[in-house]
Structure formats: C-alpha cells, structure tokens
Amino acid sequence: MKFAYKMVCLLVLVLSASFGVGGCYLLYSDFSAQLARAEAANADTHRQVCTLLQGEILDRQRRGESLDDAALTELLANFALPTALWRDGVCIVGSGDLLPDGTMEVRRLADGGVQATYASRLQGGLQLATAYDLTDLYRGRDAALRRFLLLEAAVLAAGAAVTAVFARRMTRPLRTLTTASAEIADGDYARRTGLHTGDEIETLSSSFDKMADAVQEKITALQADVRQREDFMGAFAHELKTPMTSIIGYADMLRTIQASPAEQYEAAGAIYHEGRRLEALSGKLLALLGLGEETITLQPTALAALWPRLQAACPGVPLQLPACDAAVQADADLLLDLLCNLVGNAVKASEPGQPVEVRAADNGDTVTLTVADHGCGIPQSEISRVTEPFYMVDKSRARKQGGSGLGLALCKRIAEVHGSDLHIESTPGEGTRVSVILRKGAVQ
C-alpha cells in the first residue's frame, strides 16, 4: 500500500473515532438530560395523582360512601391516565405487575413503544401505578442518531477525499525523488530533482541533487580516466610500432642481402637512431611512472645555483637566463628536468639559432618560472591537449626531431609534485610561454 493511502486510512480512522465518540457522547448526553427531565415531570405528575386520589378516598370515607372496585374505577377514570390499582396485592383496575412501593420501571412494549411506570402505596391497602409514554423521546433519540451517522459518513467521505488530494500533493515530491533515484541508477547521471517546497523535502532534494552531482563528477572522472588510459595504450603502441618497424626492416636487410658499406652504414645509423628513440621513450615513461609512486621531499633550492646546471644540460642552446637569485621549495633534480624539457621543446619549435628565454618573476611569496620561445607556436584548440602523453601537434616534425610526446606530460607531473601546474600561453607564428609557479623557500 502506498504511503498516501496509508495516510488517508489513518486520518479517516482517527476522524471517524474522534467524531463518532464525540458525537455519540453529545447525543446521549442530551438524551439523558431530556430523559431525566421527563422522568422528573412524570414523577411529579404521579405524586399529584396519588395525592388527589388519596384525598378523594378520604372525602368519601368521611361521607360514608362505598369504596368498592367500581367506585375506584370511576375515580381513576377522571385522571385520563393509564393506571393500575391493586388492593391487598390483587389488581382491581387495569393490568400489569405489582411493583415495590416508590419504584419506577421503563419497559418496551410489543408495538415498539417505550413506557415508564411509577408505583406508590396508598392508605387502605391500596397501591397505585401510573404509566407514561416515552416513545417519542426514544424515537427522537434514534432519529437524531441516524442523522448523526449520515452526517458523519458524509463528513468522513469529504474528509477522505480532501485528505487523499493533499496526501498525493504532499507525497508527489517523494515520488519525484524515487523516480530520479531510479533513473540515476539506470545511468541517467544528469537527472536532478530541483524541488522547491520550502520545507524539509526541499532540503532533502538539495542534498539529493548534490549527491547526484558528486556521483556524476566521479563517473565523468572515471570515464575520462578510462579514455585517457585507452588513448595512452593506443598512442604507446603506435609510438613503439614505428621505430620497431624501422629496426626490424633494416636488420632484415642486413641479414638477408649483401649491402654495400654505404648501405650498411645507413642501416646501422637508422637502427641506432631508432634505438635511441626507444631508449628515450622508455626513460621518460619510467620517469613519468616513478613520479606517481615515489615520495618527493621539497627543499629550499637556490635558483642561482640551478642556472649553470641548466646551461650545462642544454649544450649549444642560446639560453637567456635571469638574474633572479631567489630560493624556491623544490626538488632540484626534478626542477632541472622540467626546465630541460621545456627548453628542449622550445628549441624544437624555433628556428635554428633563435634564443630561448628563461624568466623568473618574484611575486613575494612565490616565484614564477617561465620558458619562452619565438617559434611556430601552438593553436589555441590544441593547448588543452599538449600535456597528454604521446600527444603531438605536428607528429611528423616531432618524430623527425626525436620527440615522443611525453615531454610536456612529464613536466605537468613534475609541476603537480611541486603543488603547481603548467600555464601555457601561445600565439601561432609568434611563440610559446610555459610557466610554473613555485613557493619560496629560505636556504639554510
């Protein structure tokens, strides 16, 4: 049974019980009051009849008149009331049962009527009983009870209908929540309730929608992670296929045909070149994976001591180094690797002989390191993807220059280890600027 139906049944049950008990109490209280007034009036009338009859009997006795059964019957006829008279326990007028003195009895008649009988003892061994009709009083009570029951049935029916409408309106938000939860369970993670009821249900709806937002974010993140893993595996397999194909091809040529010394030199050079590409690829992969497993400790690192190491690691590159001597919280080797990769990318994107500029801006609590070139630049639509593993804007040029598409991915991971991120700004044909923001540190 639905909650709304349960609510309707419960409210109807409570209404019927309270309304029925209250109505019956009022009806029977009113009836009891009317019955008490009627009994008091009838008792007064009975006493008056007894007094009048006793007075007549005494008058006749004083006058010496006879008080036989016929005379008594004549006297009682003057009162125009249903009466019965007993003399020494024998009924001489009317009929009925002999009642104790001073009692009252209410009985139902064969025709459905109700009668109240009062009995009193008189002088001379006489006992008088007078009967009073209470049928109209009881019929009035029964009629009032029937009207009340009809009224109660009508009120309960109307109350049940109104309660059903309100119960459905009140439980409609709950049905919305139930439907939304079922749809989300079926995969519709964008489903929201958006209820505005101004009460606790709205609070529940808001919490439900926040939970759905969190679930959708987690699902989206998981889907993106799976997609990135699939892209990574596909790109990795593709990157391995090209050098392996060249190596196998040249090795097979050397194994199966008698090549000239020049051809042998060319084949050996190709095998060496592709082998070095595989070596560089595996080294960067190991570095990228190692950053996810190792615990890196950041220490104060003086930038002034880092510039000579960077110049030595990039021989033949026209570097423009800053004069900043601030210290940053960093792992010196990883930071050097980051700068070397950025400088290498800048060299590949620039014309031969063009300088690569390394900048350091002191921001107070942080230092911004920037590697800038004046090369071919990156299209705006590609900037968001250049840090993905194996992604290359110009694949043919990058492979010709020995690139693997892992440099910026490794730089991004190193920046994350330092609590930062790569910020890339580029204009096609004008150059690219890649920045990382590091916290300052005091050298001991």
Side-chain angles (χ1 to χ4, degrees):
M1 183 180 293
K2 294 183 178 179
F3 177 73
Y5 297 156
K6 293 180 179 179
M7 183 182 296
V8 171
C9 292
L10 178 61
L11 289 178
V12 169
L13 180 61
V14 172
L15 283 176
S16 60
S18 58
F19 195 56
V21 171
C24 290
Y25 174 78
L26 291 176
L27 282 176
Y28 279 97
S29 296
D30 183 65
F31 171 74
S32 298
Q34 294 182 22
L35 182 61
R37 287 195 296 269
E39 289 177 349
N42 292 336
D44 290 341
T45 303
H46 174 73
R47 286 193 293 271
Q48 293 175 5
V49 171
C50 290
T51 301
L52 293 175
L53 179 60
Q54 187 70 37
E56 288 291 335
I57 292 173
L58 292 175
D59 287 343
R60 292 198 177 200
Q61 286 179 347
R62 283 196 298 269
R63 292 195 300 266
E65 296 179 2
S66 174
L67 287 175
D68 55 9
D69 293 346
L72 292 174
T73 301
E74 180 183 357
L75 285 174
L76 290 177
N78 295 331
F79 295 108
L81 289 172
T83 57
L85 187 64
W86 288 266
R87 175 180 283 164
D88 298 328
V90 177
C91 184
I92 58 176
V93 177
S95 62
D97 298 329
L98 182 63
L99 298 176
D101 181 37
T103 60
M104 187 270 291
E105 181 184 66
V106 178
R107 68 180 68 180
R108 287 192 173 273
L109 304 179
D111 59 357
V114 180
Q115 190 178 74
T117 303
Y118 296 82
S120 297
R121 187 174 299 279
L122 306 178
Q123 293 182 356
L126 298 175
Q127 186 179 30
L128 177 67
T130 57
Y132 300 91
D133 188 18
L134 300 177
T135 303
D136 290 341
L137 184 62
Y138 277 86
R139 286 178 179 173
R141 181 203 65 180
D142 296 339
L145 184 59
R146 286 192 297 270
R147 288 194 300 270
F148 168 74
L149 292 177
L150 290 175
L151 177 62
E152 182 180 16
V155 170
L156 289 178
V162 173
T163 303
V165 172
F166 277 99
R168 287 186 62 83
R169 289 178 61 88
M170 291 174 62
T171 56
R172 185 181 302 165
L174 298 179
R175 293 196 298 272
T176 301
L177 287 170
T178 302
T179 303
S181 62
E183 292 177 358
I184 292 175
D186 290 336
D188 185 7
Y189 300 110
R191 179 71 165 87
R192 299 293 181 272
T193 56
L195 297 175
H196 301 285
T197 58
D199 53 16
E200 290 80 0
I201 293 181
E202 181 176 346
T203 304
L204 176 62
S205 171
S206 177
S207 300
F208 182 90
D209 289 343
K210 289 180 181 179
M211 179 192 69
D213 290 337
V215 170
Q216 186 178 22
E217 290 175 2
K218 293 294 183 183
I219 294 298
T220 302
L222 288 174
Q223 291 174 344
D225 184 63
V226 171
R227 185 170 58 252
Q228 289 176 357
R229 289 175 184 272
E230 291 176 349
D231 293 343
F232 180 87
M233 295 302 296
F236 179 64
H238 183 76
E239 290 298 321
L240 285 180
K241 181 179 179 181
T242 302
M244 292 302 295
T245 300
S246 297
I247 291 173
I248 292 172
Y250 281 110
D252 185 62
M253 182 189 73
L254 293 174
R255 183 176 63 88
T256 57
I257 65 174
Q258 185 65 37
S260 65
E263 291 174 336
Q264 292 178 5
Y265 181 80
E266 179 183 358
I271 292 173
Y272 174 79
H273 176 72
E274 296 300 332
R276 290 297 301 270
R277 278 190 62 197
L278 286 176
E279 181 185 26
L281 176 64
S282 62
K284 288 190 175 182
L285 274 176
L286 289 174
L288 191 61
L289 295 174
L291 286 176
E293 297 175 355
E294 296 180 6
T295 300
I296 307 299
T297 301
L298 303 182
Q299 297 178 346
T301 302
L303 294 178
L306 194 65
W307 305 139
R309 294 180 60 187
L310 178 61
Q311 185 68 72
C314 302
V317 178
L319 283 175
Q320 296 180 0
L321 298 173
C324 179
D325 58 355
V328 295
Q329 289 291 119
D331 181 287
D333 294 333
L334 288 179
L335 184 57
L336 179 63
D337 196 12
L338 181 147
L339 293 174
C340 286
N341 276 283
L342 293 181
V343 170
N345 284 344
V347 170
K348 293 172 185 177
S350 306
E351 294 295 330
Q354 281 189 335
V356 176
E357 184 180 358
V358 179
R359 306 169 186 167
D362 192 334
N363 306 318
D365 294 334
T366 60
V367 174
T368 302
L369 298 181
T370 303
V371 176
D373 64 66
H374 302 281
C376 59
I378 304 171
Q380 289 296 319
S381 59
E382 307 286 339
I383 289 180
S384 62
R385 300 197 60 191
V386 293
T387 55
E388 296 179 10
F390 298 111
Y391 187 82
M392 292 175 281
V393 177
D394 187 348
K395 293 181 174 57
S396 61
R397 180 179 62 84
R399 289 197 179 96
K400 190 178 298 183
Q401 295 173 339
S404 61
L406 287 174
L408 285 177
L410 182 60
C411 291
K412 179 179 177 63
R413 189 71 188 92
I414 293 174
E416 290 174 351
V417 167
H418 287 77
S420 183
D421 197 3
L422 290 184
H423 302 277
I424 303 174
E425 300 175 351
S426 185
T427 303
E430 296 183 8
T432 302
R433 294 165 301 282
V434 183
S435 303
V436 60
I437 300 176
L438 303 175
R439 295 190 305 275
K440 271 190 173 182
V443 179
Q444 299 296 329

